[in-house]
Amino acid sequence: MNLPIRVPGLIQSFYSDRIWKMSDGSKKLYLTFDDGPHPEITRLVLAMLNRHKAKGTFFCIGKRVVQYPEVVTDILDQGSAIGNHSFSHLNGWNTSTSEYVDDVCAAKKHIDSRLFRAPYGRIKNSQAIELKKRGFQLVMWSVLSQDYDSSLTPEQCAERSVKWLEFGDIVLFHDSEKAKRNMLAGLEAVLNWGKDNGVEFDTLEFQKVKDLKR
């Protein structure tokens, strides 16, 4: 599915119960990474963040956390944060509500976070309602790097990643093998854009997004 780089405001307003952007007036960006942890690629991301004195939020798949717990430790030691990306990376549109919620809760046993991002961004309203009852805050994104698109060159991904940036944006990358080349190029471009514009790269945390919804 060819998703837009910048999520239209109409979509954000229609699903206003989900966090798309952190509009608190500060000069911050929020880098997020889906589908890890990966023993090599996640650490490449952490090294790049360190070089730029930046932090990010890693939405982790539960079964990979079980497989690579030491990488999660590295994420937290670097000063970055983690979020829940389900246990099995289920597509919510093709999964019953009960099975989906159970899968997210299974991941919660290994991921100490109430932030949740749906795999593929695909989640039914019934699933969202049940997860919110259990204390989860649903996090989406306002800028999609499209780093997973193999038809893009790293240079194109870098250009697209910075073209629409605004302060407060939640930017989505993937610390996965499929996205590696484009992701690293796009991430470097966003970090350099931030340096040129006096941006702080901060983590998403439950209290921050909870306060934003008040």
Side-chain angles (χ1 to χ4, degrees):
M1 182 166 53
N2 187 20
L3 296 171
I5 297 172
R6 182 159 201 91
V7 178
L10 182 62
I11 292 178
Q12 296 186 37
S13 62
F14 190 76
Y15 296 101
S16 59
D17 60 328
R18 302 165 198 183
I19 297 296
W20 299 88
K21 186 174 181 178
M22 298 291 284
S23 303
D24 60 1
S26 62
K27 294 180 69 172
K28 291 184 178 182
L29 286 177
Y30 299 85
L31 302 172
T32 63
F33 304 88
D34 284 7
D35 297 349
H38 187 283
E40 173 199 356
I41 299 166
T42 303
R43 286 174 170 141
L44 289 175
V45 172
L46 293 174
M48 188 179 293
L49 295 179
N50 272 334
R51 289 197 297 272
H52 287 266
K53 297 180 174 58
K55 300 175 183 178
T57 305
F58 292 76
F59 285 88
C60 298
I61 297 174
K63 64 182 180 181
R64 294 181 182 166
V65 171
V66 173
Q67 190 174 7
Y68 304 113
E70 70 281 359
V71 183
V72 176
T73 299
D74 290 345
I75 291 171
L76 298 175
D77 286 348
Q78 190 268 346
S80 288
I82 60 172
N84 189 324
H85 198 45
S86 81
F87 192 85
S88 307
H89 206 258
L90 297 177
N91 183 333
W93 293 355
N94 300 329
T95 309
S96 71
T97 294
S98 59
E99 181 182 355
Y100 192 83
V101 171
D102 285 348
D103 191 76
V104 175
C105 290
K108 185 181 180 181
K109 296 176 183 177
H110 309 280
I111 300 169
D112 185 17
S113 174
R114 287 186 283 176
L115 300 180
F116 173 71
R117 176 179 282 157
Y120 316 104
R122 297 176 181 176
I123 183 171
K124 298 174 186 175
N125 283 335
S126 59
Q127 295 162 346
I129 290 169
E130 289 302 316
L131 289 175
K132 285 184 287 185
K133 287 180 181 177
R134 288 161 173 78
F136 287 100
Q137 176 63 65
L138 277 60
V139 178
M140 302 298 283
W141 61 86
S142 49
V143 173
L144 177 64
S145 68
Q146 297 182 330
D147 52 3
Y148 53 82
D149 187 344
S150 60
S151 70
L152 296 178
T153 66
E155 292 76 19
Q156 288 172 323
C157 184
E159 180 181 358
R160 291 179 179 212
S161 295
V162 300
K163 184 175 182 179
W164 306 104
L165 285 177
E166 298 175 354
F167 299 139
D169 274 336
I170 298 173
V171 186
L172 172 55
F173 291 102
H174 296 82
D175 51 336
S176 65
E177 293 182 9
K178 179 181 179 180
K180 177 183 175 182
R181 290 178 69 250
N182 286 349
M183 178 272 293
L184 292 174
L187 177 58
E188 185 76 53
V190 172
L191 288 166
N192 287 332
W193 184 91
K195 181 179 179 181
D196 292 342
N197 289 277
V199 168
E200 177 186 354
F201 292 94
D202 203 358
T203 58
L204 291 170
E205 296 169 5
F206 181 79
Q207 192 60 47
K208 293 176 184 176
V209 298
K210 182 180 178 183
D211 289 346
L212 186 67
K213 296 300 290 182
R214 289 179 179 174

